[in-house]
Amino acid sequence: MVFRDFYLLFAVVTALTFGQPTFGQSTFGQPKTFYHEDTLKSAAVSVKVRFSHMKMPMVLSGSEYDTLDLGSDGAPGKTVTAYIDSDSMQIRNDNFPFEERHHFPLLLAGRKYTLRLRFNNVRAYFSPEYIRKNSGRTFVEIPETFELANILLMLSPAGQKAGNMVGTGQYHDEVAAYFKPYLGHPVFKVLDVPEARYMTNYYEFRENSICYEFSGDKLTPSRYFLVYGSDDSTYANAFRNRIELVADFARRSKFRDFYQKHLPYYRQLIAQQTEWSDLSGMQKWLEREFVKPKIDCLRLIFSPIIHSTHSTQRFGGFGDDGKYFQERLLFVSGPGDGHPEWNDQQRRGSLAGIVFTEIDHNYVNPRSGDFEAQIDSLFSNRPFWSPGREADFYPKPQLVFNEYMTHALFSLYVLDTFDRPTADFLIARREEMMVNRRGFVKFREFNATLMKMKKESPDKTVSELYPKVIDWCRAFSKQ
């Protein structure tokens, strides 16, 4: 089979582009679409197409549709080859990590089609070496750019008004004192967003900071391209949109010196977070209770000044063996120094609850999706299940159910993991939080029911108990 370079085989190319990719700079890269004028012709009724990660070509046959389409996630050096009769044509993914589309006029057995080949944009790229090195591992870390983002948010006028970050303590005071001379920097003006937009901007700015890392005084792209943002096609987001101001602030304030000076403190917190979180233990427990997903790598990312704003982000990509590599990033608060009246087990269990109820969403949410219609029917009755204001953050019925299930699952975990007095303490606190502070008013009944079901059927997994749980919800809501 003859492979010809795409640009040699098709000399006339009409390209619709929307800017040049200057990835990592303030001018964003853009998706590209190419419309090719030369017609691909074959007497056959099908064309074969193979992306370089595929072992065998895929046959695209003519049908009632006018467009034959095939796409794959982009990757450095990735190619796609179209086989037309005895010839072939190959395209290289040159717009990575942004989307790249190619449209070809196609004539199959005398009928006109359009052949559309796509390299999809990706939110992250995991090299084969990275996958081999990190599969089966867990990490706890305070990334340098993540701490920078949190410090900027804490010091910003909007952050000071919101009060959603740690506001006391030795580290907080050291941050405030060190960076006080730089509060007039223009980065704080752009971070001073209206209250209605603050939380969206907060998460977007904080979490997209991991898409960069320091190279000297410069911020350069990491393996992550986008967590989420205002434009998925260009990766525009609250952090990247302000990247030049962020880098200038870091340089003028000598942030990197501050970070290096506090490395011993960060390492101490990381050691404590690692021990108390027990990511590996949690993952094993959850994989015992749920068939899927298989998470290959967990990264717990935290800052000493995050108070109670947590989230989970999913990333993935195909390895050389064709298997899909899954990584989860958990953004949580640190160990903290609160509640001196608690014993070590109680503090450990409280921190475990923060981490566990982020990890378990990765298992609960897919399983809940298997019962979407039933759950939506039952949990659309919001005044019954979730009249509290915080529940407004969960606009869909299934999201409300998932909150019930993820936090009730933590009760089962602590019963298996901690001594009974500690487990009782943690369960009582969980129920108080869910009912009185978060507004999931039927959580005590839901939690007690799940614990009872598991006790009566210890050989059944939580995944297997789902139909029974939903039946109980239906009967309970009619009382």
Side-chain angles (χ1 to χ4, degrees), residues 132-204:
R132 287 191 296 270
K133 184 178 178 180
N134 295 289
S135 290
R137 299 184 66 187
T138 60
F139 299 87
V140 178
E141 51 199 2
I142 305 175
E144 194 171 7
T145 52
F146 187 71
E147 190 59 17
L148 171 61
N150 279 282
I151 287 173
L152 287 169
L153 289 165
M154 186 194 90
L155 297 174
S156 70
Q160 292 289 309
K161 294 174 192 173
N164 69 317
M165 303 188 75
V166 171
T168 59
Q170 182 177 340
Y171 180 71
H172 167 274
D173 294 345
E174 290 177 8
V175 169
Y178 181 88
F179 293 101
K180 185 177 181 180
Y182 308 98
L183 293 180
H185 192 278
V187 71
F188 292 111
K189 184 176 181 180
V190 298
L191 286 174
D192 192 15
V193 298
E195 182 181 355
R197 288 176 44 212
Y198 174 73
M199 289 311 298
T200 298
N201 184 77
Y202 168 83
Y203 280 108
E204 195 174 311

Side-chain angles (χ1 to χ4, degrees), residues 67-289:
T67 299
L68 305 184
D69 177 86
L70 190 63
S72 179
D73 288 350
K78 194 169 191 174
T79 61
V80 59
T81 304
Y83 302 90
I84 303 96
D85 291 337
S86 61
D87 211 340
S88 63
M89 172 272 298
Q90 188 177 87
I91 305 169
R92 186 179 63 247
N93 185 191
D94 287 333
N95 199 42
F96 177 82
F98 305 101
E99 185 181 48
E100 181 178 344
R101 292 188 177 197
H102 293 265
H103 296 250
F104 298 93
L106 177 65
L107 192 65
L108 294 180
R111 181 177 170 182
K112 294 181 179 179
Y113 298 91
T114 295
L115 174 63
R116 182 171 60 206
L117 302 176
R118 295 175 288 107
F119 295 100
N120 303 326
N121 64 341
V122 293
R123 294 170 56 233
Y125 172 67
F126 303 106
S127 68
E129 180 184 2
Y130 180 91
I131 292 174
R132 287 191 296 270
K133 184 178 178 180
N134 295 289
S135 290
R137 299 184 66 187
T138 60
F139 299 87
V140 178
E141 51 199 2
I142 305 175
E144 194 171 7
T145 52
F146 187 71
E147 190 59 17
L148 171 61
N150 279 282
I151 287 173
L152 287 169
L153 289 165
M154 186 194 90
L155 297 174
S156 70
Q160 292 289 309
K161 294 174 192 173
N164 69 317
M165 303 188 75
V166 171
T168 59
Q170 182 177 340
Y171 180 71
H172 167 274
D173 294 345
E174 290 177 8
V175 169
Y178 181 88
F179 293 101
K180 185 177 181 180
Y182 308 98
L183 293 180
H185 192 278
V187 71
F188 292 111
K189 184 176 181 180
V190 298
L191 286 174
D192 192 15
V193 298
E195 182 181 355
R197 288 176 44 212
Y198 174 73
M199 289 311 298
T200 298
N201 184 77
Y202 168 83
Y203 280 108
E204 195 174 311
F205 185 84
R206 181 186 82 174
E207 297 183 14
N208 281 292
S209 66
I210 66 159
C211 299
Y212 291 87
E213 54 196 14
F214 278 101
S215 177
D217 287 336
K218 295 182 179 180
L219 288 171
T220 58
S222 70
R223 73 182 68 90
Y224 308 103
F225 307 134
L226 177 72
V227 178
Y228 59 90
S230 57
D231 185 349
D232 290 351
S233 66
T234 64
Y235 307 148
N237 62 73
F239 190 85
R240 188 177 180 186
N241 296 356
R242 298 152 180 162
I243 191 69
E244 292 179 354
L245 285 173
V246 172
D248 185 70
F249 173 85
R251 182 169 54 253
R252 290 178 183 273
S253 67
K254 293 184 169 34
F255 163 77
R256 301 202 73 190
D257 291 348
F258 177 88
Y259 183 86
Q260 287 295 318
K261 180 181 177 182
H262 286 81
L263 273 178
Y265 174 64
Y266 300 148
R267 288 169 180 151
Q268 176 188 340
L269 290 179
I270 288 170
Q272 186 177 358
Q273 184 88 298
T274 301
E275 179 185 356
W276 284 12
S277 297
D278 186 24
L279 291 178
S280 297
M282 290 179 182
Q283 189 174 6
K284 289 177 183 176
W285 191 92
L286 287 163
E287 288 181 352
R288 189 181 72 213
E289 298 294 337

